[in-house]
Amino acid sequence: MKMSKRLRDMIARSQALVAPGAYDGLSARLIALGGFEAVYASGGAIARSTGIPDLGLMSLAEVVDRLTTMVDAVSIPIIADADTGYGNALNAQRTAKAFERAGVAALHLEDQQFPKRCGHYDDKAIVPAHEMTQKIRAVRDALSDDDFVIIARTDGLAVEGYERTIERAHQYMEAGADMIFVEAPTTVEEIEAVARDLPYPKLINMFKGGKTPFVPSERLAALGYRIVIVPSDLQRAAIKGMEIALEAIRSGKEDHPGYDAMVSFKEREARIGTTAYLEREARYAS
């Protein structure tokens, strides 16, 4: 089954699909090994993995290259962050085609001005609703896979307020989006209101320490949220883990407790699947 069709089937269920955020092939594979059914390819995490902040600084080619490695690493659907489409409607079409060729099952497109910034940063700016609806139509026209999932994201809450954001969301769905993503609600009441006022499949961004309060996935599913992305928690854990390992290395002591947080050499190779590669190499060598 196509990954896009698998994702559509998951969205049609009554439960919420939790998709942790990945930024390379290894993090994507760990999500799959952890038993999750989908991966979220976080644009912010991909940017930070190159040493730069989430301020729309990466090019389309750089992101697509990373998406390709992630698709190759797993056999579960990948939901990709397409930012603003990297420009106008024509840029968004080119982005959609490139993401489709890379093998992702879905993308989300947002209404921030280009270049964008992390949805939980302050001082965001958004484009007119008509400009965004035209981008959505352009993306739909560009795709060849009818099952490919288009998710429309609006950052309007922090800019125009609740009522105007809801109006935008309705327009985006009417333009051809399959799912709506209202970024950064700041209260549980706002999360509930979005669920009530937007009777469509919905995605929500849920991570520890953001502007949005934590709500369990079971409660989100009951409210009608069908995808819960957790963009940055894996990367934040990786950063902390590397800092602990660096403390151990700096100590020069083999018994430093920092080493206890590391997987073993054999465990690392198991996560990567080295044995299967070596077996395949041997088969072709004979």
Side-chain angles (χ1 to χ4, degrees), residues 23-119:
Y23 48 91
D24 60 10
L26 176 58
S27 54
R29 179 166 294 184
L30 290 173
I31 290 168
L33 289 173
F36 292 91
E37 295 181 285
V39 171
Y40 174 58
S42 166
I46 290 172
R48 288 185 293 270
S49 75
T50 71
I52 59 176
D54 185 15
L55 293 173
L57 299 173
M58 294 198 72
S59 69
L60 171 60
E62 289 174 304
V63 173
V64 170
D65 183 63
R66 187 64 65 87
L67 292 176
T68 301
T69 66
M70 294 166 68
V71 169
D72 287 345
V74 299
S75 56
I76 57 177
I78 293 180
I79 303 159
D81 181 355
D83 286 350
T84 65
Y86 300 92
N88 64 18
L90 296 182
N91 295 113
Q93 283 193 320
R94 188 164 181 262
T95 297
K97 289 179 179 179
F99 277 34
E100 186 178 31
R101 286 194 301 269
V104 303
L107 63 78
H108 70 69
L109 188 71
E110 67 196 66
D111 58 7
Q112 281 197 54
Q113 291 184 11
F114 178 80
K116 55 77 54 87
R117 58 178 56 204
C118 171

